[in-house]
């Protein structure tokens, strides 16, 4: 069974700021509930072919995996893929200006993949857990960026 989970939110911060912050892997542990660390495997800056090692906890298990950037359009779209472990996955971020004046951002977060082996048996559980985590992650990102935008106009 394939897993394809998508969530979106509107953030009251301009698109270029949201995209720059969310696309920076150094910030992932700040807004992703399950990610504990990220380490560059290739030299920054980010571009197609860049690789980062992530460590996360999901469904009570420690996961270590490397994402490779497969598409990057700064301020618009980022696609990362991993082929490691029992759940090869693709994660896509999309950003677009939102609102009458375009001063807000609609951010979409999508994870899709096809679990293999034992992980395939729990695909429905995995999808439900991913849906909950994505909603929490986007809520954290929204709160963090809106708070920063109100208190510090220099970031």
């Amino acid at each position: 069974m394939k897993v394809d989970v998508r969530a979106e939110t509107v953030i009251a911060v301009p698109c270029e700021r949201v995209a720059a912050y969310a696309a920076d892997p150094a910030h992932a542990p700040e807004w992703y509930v399950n990610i504990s660390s990220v380490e560059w495997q290739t030299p920054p800056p980010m571009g197609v072919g860049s690789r980062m090692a992530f460590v996360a906890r999901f469904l009570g298990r420690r996961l270590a995996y490397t994402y490779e950037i497969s598409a990057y359009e700064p301020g618009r779209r980022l696609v990362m893929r991993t082929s490691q472990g029992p759940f090869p996955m693709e994660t896509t971020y999309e950003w677009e200006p939102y609102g009458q004046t375009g001063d807000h951002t609609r951010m979409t977060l999508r994870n899709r993949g096809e679990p293999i082996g034992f992980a395939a048996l729990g695909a429905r559980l995995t999808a439900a857990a991913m849906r909950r985590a994505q909603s929490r992650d986007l809520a954290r990102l929204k709160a963090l960026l809106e708070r920063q935008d109100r208190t510090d106009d220099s970031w």
Side-chain angles (χ1 to χ4, degrees):
M1 173 185 179
K2 292 183 180 184
V3 173
D4 191 346
V5 179
R6 180 184 170 123
E8 70 177 45
T9 192
V10 173
I11 302 171
V13 175
C15 192
E16 66 276 357
R17 285 188 172 191
V18 174
Y21 187 90
D24 184 342
H27 295 296
E30 298 168 11
W31 64 278
Y32 269 100
V33 173
N34 296 321
I35 294 176
S36 55
S37 68
V38 179
E39 185 178 311
W40 283 91
Q41 298 295 300
T42 56
M46 183 180 312
V48 172
S50 295
R51 291 185 316 278
M52 287 82 52
F54 285 73
V55 176
R57 290 203 65 77
F58 187 68
L59 296 175
R61 298 181 60 199
R62 181 186 183 275
L63 303 173
Y65 52 92
T66 300
Y67 265 129
E68 182 169 331
I69 305 303
S70 58
Y72 185 45
E73 300 169 51
R76 188 170 176 278
R77 186 169 181 257
L78 170 65
V79 181
M80 305 177 282
R81 290 190 176 119
T82 183
S83 58
Q84 299 170 309
F87 190 14
M89 186 168 55
E90 177 183 270
T91 298
T92 302
Y93 302 160
E94 292 180 316
W95 306 280
E96 62 179 317
Y98 185 81
Q100 291 180 345
T101 60
D103 60 345
H104 288 53
T105 304
R106 181 195 322 262
M107 180 173 171
T108 303
L109 171 58
R110 180 181 186 192
N111 285 299
R112 63 184 179 156
E114 189 162 359
I116 55 177
F118 183 72
L121 298 175
R124 288 182 201 268
L125 174 65
T126 299
M130 287 172 66
R131 228 175 253 105
R132 286 189 302 275
Q134 282 183 341
S135 294
R136 286 192 316 260
D137 295 338
L138 287 178
R140 281 178 72 161
L141 180 64
K142 176 182 173 66
L144 176 72
L145 292 180
E146 289 177 355
R147 183 174 53 249
Q148 283 181 353
D149 196 55
R150 283 191 308 269
T151 60
D152 181 11
D153 201 35
S154 65
W155 65 276

